[in-house]
Amino acid sequence: MKTFEELGVNAEIRRAIEEMGFEQPMPVQEEVIPYLLGEGNEVIALAQTGTGKTAAFGIPLLQKIDSASRETQAVIISPTRELCLQITDDLKDFSKYMPSIHIEAVYGGASIGLQMKALKRGVQIIVATPGRLVDLMNRGVAKLEKVRNVVLDEADEMLNMGFSESINAIFEGVPEDRNTLMFSATMSREIEKIAKTYLHDYKEIVVGSRNEGAENVNHIYYLVNARDKYLALKRVVDYHPRIYAIIFCRTKVETQEVADKLIHDGYNAESLHGDLSQPQRDLTMQKFRQHLTQLLVATDVAARGLDVDDLTHVINYGLPDDIENYTHRSGRTGRAGKKGTSISIIHTREKHKVRNIEKVIGKQFVDGDLPTPKDICTKQLFKAIAEIEKVDVDEEQIAPFMTEINRHFEYVDKEDILKKIVSREFGRFLRYYADAPEIEKPSGKATGRRGSGNEGRKEERGEKKEKKGSRKAEKGYRRLFINLGKTDGFYPGELMQFLNRHIQGRQEVGHIDLLAKFCYFDVPERDAQHVIRALDGTFYKNRQVRCNDGERQRVGDGTSGMTGDKKKRKGERREKRGKAVRGHEAPEKGRKAKRTKTVPDNLVDENTDWRQFFK
């Protein structure tokens, strides 16, 4: 293996990267740096995120800048604001001892006025998102006539995000004899098309194999019924006490719902999706990078540009439709020589996707069996013991309290003390898994091919039937109705906040069945009337709230939103007026009897499984 000096890297950059901990070049750097230090050498490099590609193109780019000129000589285009900022920070670190080099990041969501002022002062390297760069070009501020190098980083992502037109506009604004460098995780047809259009006599450098997942990543899938996906996720997380992971969901709604459930169940989790404001996204990603958040539940788009080197797991809460998205997801773990695991929680109708992904990445998935409650409790026990053992005792600080401590525990057996300490540390796992629901593994025969998906469809229909069947509140609980649902932006987190605002103290909540326009939730029997009185008649986003006994709630008979006593009084008034009530009397002549429709006891949204929510 060569050194950076042998690759031709100058002394100033070597000094900076050595201080950053760079010791030996990574494979992509060893391949790309010497080639790019030459003249007129265009490259397509196929390498996963986290393989050191920023240094691979950044070091030669910096070394070839004419520091005597403040004209823009290089443009680096990235798909997201986050990646744009990350590349800029890396280049500034590499050029720490090159004070005459000026680098500027330009991206949407920030003040264009400040960015325009920076460009007018003169910068040699612009790192940009496509849309903002085109905007600055149209305003005559981003002047690219002297650009010698154009870099497209994560080119496949930019195409997936619909930036083709912007990329074309950028290439039209730079000289034809520039040098073009493309870095991509996969070689798609679109990438090949751009290469043929804008690159001339390029070299393809492949680190690993074309369209291959990260070498150090294990791929596992757990096949479960759709209704059990969240329960399976909990088991995976509980079995890995020191997990540091991104959980990928398909939609913004699913992302928020899964995050809300995890947070309520006591996990250190946060959501990341497009409905968050930019400051919220920045704060969420900062906390995750600093390990203040253990589980990040995210959509593919929102997580682009989030680069962390020590993820232990990537969890796919269902597989993406695009195989390239799976490659990007799994490539976020197993970096810098570390081992990583990509886990997919799927139902039978997704199993054919596993086979398709295996063909593309050239790797086999392991058909995993979910950890048993005993396995999980054993793992959590060992973690609790290890954490107790690692506690540092400050003898001087604790000395004044030892007399009182010894007095309290004088007649308590040592074994009892240990049991109490350990039970406190992982007691919630023992309580939950003592009677945890079974998670049955489907036969998995549905493959998605014509004529072979009946079992998956039957399973799905069976789940819907089960969800819409009768469900009473658990023993000791009362089921309540509230006329707020998903269309009101009313998710589990909002329900808990709403309860906290109107009820003094912490309110215990059991199952939640969330629908589009209303929801049911369980509270302890002793609290039911107190909760109804506290919520009924209040307002949520200028809408009057109705809360009542969910077991008696009816739709279509004019009693929606009424308590049982009110319904009874209204029924009596109807009888007095001679109206037909539920078939007790014939309808008046010339009038049709109103039909009564009862909401099934556990009507549940078809896309959401709340049956084991808030165990």
Side-chain angles (χ1 to χ4, degrees):
M1 181 178 287
K2 295 182 179 180
T3 63
F4 282 105
E5 184 176 6
E6 291 171 329
L7 296 182
V9 179
N10 67 30
E12 291 87 353
I13 295 176
R14 288 205 312 273
R15 181 183 172 190
I17 63 178
E18 283 169 7
E19 289 181 4
M20 294 170 64
F22 283 56
E23 297 177 359
Q24 298 291 334
M26 298 176 74
V28 67
Q29 296 161 2
E30 194 168 356
E31 286 276 351
V32 173
I33 289 175
Y35 187 74
L36 293 186
L37 286 173
E39 290 297 326
N41 296 331
E42 298 196 316
V43 165
I44 291 183
L46 299 180
Q48 297 292 317
T49 301
T51 54
K53 56 189 174 69
T54 303
F57 66 74
I59 289 173
L61 219 61
L62 289 166
Q63 194 159 319
K64 293 169 75 172
I65 291 294
D66 178 7
S67 58
S69 170
R70 292 290 290 264
E71 293 179 310
T72 301
Q73 301 163 47
V75 173
I76 301 170
I77 309 168
S78 68
T80 65
R81 163 194 172 140
E82 291 76 26
L83 185 56
C84 178
L85 288 169
Q86 184 180 307
I87 293 170
T88 303
D89 289 342
D90 287 344
L91 294 184
K92 287 180 178 179
D93 288 339
F94 300 157
S95 60
K96 179 179 179 181
Y97 297 106
M98 304 170 73
S100 54
I101 299 292
H102 299 278
I103 306 160
E104 187 67 28
V106 296
Y107 46 84
S111 170
I112 194 168
L114 294 176
Q115 293 173 359
M116 290 171 67
K117 287 180 182 178
L119 296 188
K120 287 176 180 177
R121 288 194 296 267
V123 297
Q124 290 110 340
I125 300 176
I126 296 176
V127 187
T129 53
R132 177 53 60 93
L133 181 57
V134 170
D135 192 355
L136 292 166
M137 290 169 64
N138 292 337
R139 293 170 186 250
V141 181
K143 298 178 180 179
L144 311 183
E145 296 84 4
K146 301 295 183 180
V147 167
R148 304 301 305 155
N149 289 282
V150 177
V151 179
L152 299 181
D153 191 21
E154 296 203 7
D156 49 348
E157 290 283 357
M158 283 190 277
L159 295 179
N160 289 339
M161 294 171 72
F163 286 131
S164 298
E165 290 185 10
S166 296
I167 291 171
N168 291 334
I170 292 167
F171 274 114
E172 289 172 4
V174 297
E176 286 192 12
D177 60 345
R178 87 270 151 181
N179 210 38
T180 305
L181 323 170
M182 289 178 60
F183 286 79
S184 177
T186 57
M187 177 59 88
S188 63
R189 292 178 182 176
E190 291 79 7
I191 294 293
E192 290 178 338
K193 184 177 178 181
I194 286 187
K196 290 176 182 177
T197 305
Y198 296 112
L199 276 71
H200 312 286
D201 192 26
Y202 63 86
K203 178 179 180 180
E204 184 179 307
I205 296 175
V206 181
V207 179
S209 303
R210 272 175 161 235
N211 301 326
E212 181 183 62
E215 278 297 324
N216 296 324
V217 178
N218 299 317
H219 301 266
I220 301 171
Y221 73 85
Y222 295 109
L223 190 65
V224 299
N225 293 311
R227 65 177 179 271
D228 293 329
K229 284 177 68 174
Y230 178 69
L231 295 177
L233 173 64
K234 284 184 65 173
R235 288 204 180 187
V236 169
V237 172
D238 289 344
Y239 187 68
H240 299 93
R242 292 176 178 81
I243 191 172
Y244 177 53
I246 299 179
I247 301 168
F248 282 100
C249 296
R250 293 167 61 90
T251 66
K252 291 182 285 188
V253 172
E254 184 180 60
T255 298
Q256 190 62 54
E257 289 177 352
V258 171
D260 282 340
K261 287 197 251 185
L262 288 170
I263 292 167
H264 186 275
D265 285 349
Y267 297 94
N268 182 3
E270 290 208 33
S271 63
L272 184 68
H273 53 74
D275 284 348
L276 300 178
S277 66
Q278 193 61 54
Q280 287 175 315
R281 290 175 61 188
D282 291 343
L283 178 61
T284 297
M285 288 192 285
Q286 181 184 1
K287 289 168 66 178
F288 187 62
R289 287 193 185 101
Q290 295 173 352
H291 289 235
L292 299 176
T293 301
Q294 187 178 12
L295 301 171
L296 184 68
V297 190
T299 58
D300 288 293
V301 173
R304 287 178 184 138
L306 177 63
D307 195 13
V308 289
D309 290 332
D310 45 359
L311 283 181
T312 60
H313 294 76
V314 164
I315 300 176
N316 301 284
Y317 197 73
L319 291 170
D321 293 324
D322 192 337
I323 293 176
E324 289 182 14
N325 276 345
Y326 178 84
T327 305
H328 277 283
R329 290 179 179 185
S330 61
R332 293 179 180 277
T333 185
R335 297 181 178 181
K338 298 178 182 177
K339 291 289 184 182
T341 302
S342 176
I343 292 175
S344 300
I345 300 173
I346 66 172
H347 55 76
T348 50
R349 292 204 300 168
E350 290 183 294
K351 194 171 181 182
H352 71 283
K353 291 183 181 180
V354 171
R355 305 300 169 227
N356 293 339
I357 293 171
E358 285 178 333
K359 291 175 185 176
V360 173
I361 68 174
K363 291 189 172 184
Q364 290 281 319
F365 278 69
V366 175
D367 181 358
D369 292 319
L370 283 170
T372 65
K374 183 178 179 181
D375 294 335
I376 292 167
C377 289
T378 302
K379 272 286 191 84
Q380 291 292 340
L381 171 63
F382 290 151
K383 179 201 172 192
I385 292 171
E387 288 180 348
I388 292 170
E389 287 177 336
K390 291 177 182 177
V391 173
D392 292 325
V393 177
D394 190 322
E395 299 286 352
E396 189 175 331
Q397 282 190 339
I398 203 170
F401 306 99
M402 285 306 300
T403 302
E404 190 68 19
I405 292 171
N406 285 326
R407 186 177 69 80
H408 273 284
F409 291 103
E410 184 176 1
Y411 300 105
V412 181
D413 185 69
K414 174 185 174 182
E415 186 174 338
D416 288 338
I417 294 176
L418 290 174
K419 287 178 183 178
K420 290 177 183 293
I421 293 172
V422 174
S423 295
R424 179 177 177 179
E425 291 297 319
F426 89 121
R428 76 180 183 95
F429 295 99
L430 286 175
R431 288 190 295 273
Y432 175 76
Y433 286 108
D435 57 353
E438 290 284 335
I439 301 180
E440 295 181 1
K441 186 172 183 177
S443 62
K445 293 179 181 178
T447 63
R449 298 187 183 93
R450 184 184 294 257
S452 61
N454 291 334
E455 185 171 332
R457 286 189 288 273
K458 286 178 182 177
E459 175 195 318
E460 190 176 63
R461 287 197 298 269
E463 289 163 12
K464 291 178 182 178
K465 183 177 179 181
E466 180 183 337
K467 287 179 178 180
K468 291 190 177 184
S470 175
R471 183 184 76 76
K472 302 289 185 182
E474 291 183 4
K475 186 177 180 180
Y477 280 78
R478 176 78 64 82
R479 192 164 185 256
L480 302 185
F481 165 92
I482 191 168
N483 63 335
L484 298 170
K486 292 181 182 179
T487 54
D488 303 294
F490 199 70
Y491 293 98
E494 283 70 24
L495 172 61
M496 300 308 298
Q497 291 177 22
F498 192 66
L499 286 167
N500 291 335
R501 279 200 301 271
H502 295 283
I503 297 174
Q504 296 296 323
R506 183 175 178 82
Q507 177 58 52
E508 183 180 348
V509 176
H511 290 276
I512 293 180
D513 293 340
L514 187 64
L515 288 87
K517 296 183 179 180
F518 53 91
C519 75
Y520 294 105
F521 62 100
D522 296 352
V523 298
E525 187 81 40
R526 65 181 182 276
D527 299 335
Q529 290 304 317
H530 176 59
V531 172
I532 290 172
R533 286 194 297 271
L535 301 187
D536 193 44
T538 59
F539 286 85
Y540 179 83
K541 295 181 179 179
N542 298 321
R543 180 179 175 185
Q544 190 168 18
V545 173
R546 289 288 173 260
C547 180
N548 51 59
D549 191 329
E551 299 294 342
R552 302 175 184 176
Q553 176 64 30
R554 295 181 184 276
V555 175
D557 63 354
T559 65
S560 179
M562 294 185 182
T563 61
D565 291 339
K566 287 183 179 180
K567 291 178 188 177
K568 183 178 180 181
R569 288 196 296 271
K570 183 163 185 174
E572 290 170 352
R573 289 197 299 272
R574 281 178 170 176
E575 289 188 73
K576 289 178 181 179
R577 291 195 297 266
K579 292 186 177 180
V581 180
R582 296 181 61 83
H584 291 173
E585 296 180 18
E588 292 180 21
K589 187 176 181 181
R591 295 174 64 91
K592 291 183 178 179
K594 291 185 179 180
R595 297 179 63 188
T596 301
K597 180 180 178 183
T598 304
V599 177
D601 278 339
N602 79 326
L603 186 60
V604 176
D605 185 275
E606 294 179 0
N607 297 320
T608 309
D609 175 24
W610 300 97
R611 302 173 68 80
Q612 296 299 330
F613 199 142
F614 302 148
K615 185 73 180 173

